[in-house]
Amino acid sequence: MKTMSKREVDIAVISDVHLGTYGCHAKELLKYLKSIKPKMLVLNGDIIDIWQFSKRYWPETHMKVVRKLMKFVVEGVPVYYLTGNHDELLRKFADMHLGAFHLQNKLVIELDGKKAWFFHGDIFDVTMQHSKWLAKLGAVGYDTLILINSFVNWFLGLIGQEKMSFSKRIKAKFKDAVKFINSFENTAAELAVEKGYEYVICGHIHQPEMRSIRTEDGSVTYLNSGDWVENLTALEYYDKSWKVFKYEQKDFEKDEVEEGEMSDGEDLHSKLDVHTLLQKIKLEIA
């Protein structure tokens, strides 16, 4: 098996991974994480989907992603886990620091003389604020749609046809979705300018983006890391500039991460039992 040379990045930002759901592209994310050497890693919310967590579905690749993140911590790479709405149960433990691991609701750092503000972004979602039960119901429906979509794409691949995204097509047909995204981005920008930040970095809406937004009081660079369900994107900061990374299968070794492969020569069963951990968190918060 060939080993890929690791790309050095100052900061890598991922969000909306939704580990524990059928739509999560854990294998692709693992390949990405193995391909970089970050000086800092920001997990900007919805990494583990506690809303939909079930013992019935936790594939080995999902466990490997958790272990890879833990390995960064062990190696001394600062890992900031910023809570989102699907892992909001962790907010009870916010401001917890264990070595290089930091569990927080938001993060502010200085990048080459410019202040950057990181947070998930669900505070801007009216559905989350006033109809959380509706949002949770929608999340279950969304995961079912993704599951059906994966079967359709599997069949399309067999007959040599291009894959499609049901959710993207549905969103594209609704002007309200576009209106919501624009409102989300503008609200984040206005708050960032008001607070004197040059960068505002969010997740939540599964829409990767990097653009300058001008408000009445100034301008700010708005960034969104997208997701690892539909877009398979991340943000990277290197050499004083940001870029949106888009995962492309052709750029990675085909057999780099196999389902049965024990990464780093370690035994999965002797490590963290995520099933037990999440059940304990649920009981603690209930």
Side-chain angles (χ1 to χ4, degrees):
M1 186 195 326
K2 296 180 181 179
T3 56
M4 295 177 61
S5 59
K6 296 180 183 292
R7 291 185 299 107
E8 292 191 6
V9 295
D10 294 327
I11 302 175
V13 184
I14 61 174
S15 68
D16 301 273
V17 176
H18 294 277
L19 290 169
T21 66
Y22 292 103
C24 172
H25 285 267
K27 183 183 292 187
E28 290 79 2
L29 175 58
L30 186 58
K31 288 183 180 182
Y32 168 68
L33 292 173
K34 286 189 170 186
S35 74
I36 60 173
K37 187 177 180 181
K39 294 180 181 177
M40 177 189 294
L41 180 62
V42 179
L43 311 176
N44 203 0
D46 290 359
I47 304 303
I48 298 176
D49 198 321
I50 299 176
W51 273 10
Q52 301 178 73
F53 173 75
S54 168
K55 281 188 174 182
R56 293 189 300 272
Y57 188 75
W58 185 268
E60 191 173 296
T61 49
H62 292 220
M63 184 66 229
K64 287 182 180 180
V65 169
V66 173
R67 290 181 58 245
K68 181 59 182 175
L69 297 175
M70 290 172 63
K71 188 178 180 186
F72 281 130
V73 174
V74 171
E75 291 172 344
V77 176
V79 174
Y80 291 87
Y81 193 124
L82 309 183
T83 56
N85 50 299
H86 284 255
D87 46 23
E88 65 178 346
L89 298 182
L90 298 176
R91 286 177 176 163
K92 179 177 180 179
F93 307 100
D95 297 322
M96 179 182 72
H97 308 280
L98 296 171
F101 179 78
H102 310 275
L103 178 64
Q104 302 175 191
N105 293 328
K106 59 185 178 180
L107 173 67
V108 176
I109 60 174
E110 189 170 299
L111 296 175
D112 300 306
K114 296 181 179 180
K115 286 186 177 180
W117 182 27
F118 301 77
F119 62 101
H120 184 63
D122 55 295
I123 57 171
F124 300 147
D125 194 330
V126 175
T127 305
M128 281 301 307
Q129 292 176 23
H130 303 291
S131 304
K132 191 171 293 185
W133 66 270
L134 183 61
K136 288 186 178 182
L137 183 63
V140 174
Y142 178 78
D143 197 41
T144 303
L145 180 67
I146 291 295
L147 180 59
I148 296 171
N149 200 167
S150 66
F151 282 116
V152 171
N153 282 337
W154 172 78
F155 178 72
L156 290 174
L158 285 181
I159 61 176
Q161 297 295 315
E162 185 177 352
K163 294 181 179 180
M164 65 173 67
S165 171
F166 287 179
S167 59
K168 282 186 179 180
R169 291 195 173 195
I170 291 172
K171 289 175 184 176
K173 290 183 180 296
F174 289 94
K175 291 183 179 180
D176 285 346
V178 177
K179 184 178 179 182
F180 168 74
I181 290 173
N182 289 334
S183 175
F184 178 96
E185 295 175 348
N186 290 331
T187 301
E190 288 170 4
L191 281 174
V193 170
E194 183 180 311
K195 292 175 177 288
Y197 301 133
E198 282 82 6
Y199 301 117
V200 57
I201 301 98
C202 302
H204 186 57
I205 58 174
H206 293 212
Q207 186 71 26
E209 185 64 89
M210 181 178 69
R211 67 186 180 99
S212 178
I213 299 179
R214 179 166 291 280
T215 71
E216 293 181 357
D217 300 316
S219 63
V220 66
T221 300
Y222 165 84
L223 300 109
N224 195 298
S225 44
D227 66 284
W228 285 85
V229 175
E230 299 173 72
N231 296 293
L232 281 61
T233 53
L235 292 170
E236 296 179 351
Y237 184 77
Y238 182 70
D239 198 20
K240 299 184 179 181
S241 65
W242 285 99
K243 77 168 186 177
V244 175
F245 173 88
K246 169 70 175 174
Y247 178 90
E248 298 289 350
Q249 180 64 34
K250 61 182 174 58
D251 296 331
F252 291 81
E253 294 290 337
K254 183 177 180 181
D255 298 320
E256 186 184 357
V257 180
E258 294 294 343
E259 284 289 336
E261 178 191 347
M262 291 296 176
S263 59
D264 305 316
E266 296 174 325
D267 182 4
L268 286 169
H269 300 294
S270 66
K271 298 298 178 183
L272 179 66
D273 186 343
V274 175
H275 306 94
T276 303
L277 175 63
L278 290 180
Q279 288 298 335
K280 285 182 177 178
I281 290 174
K282 279 190 172 183
L283 290 172
E284 179 75 21
I285 304 297

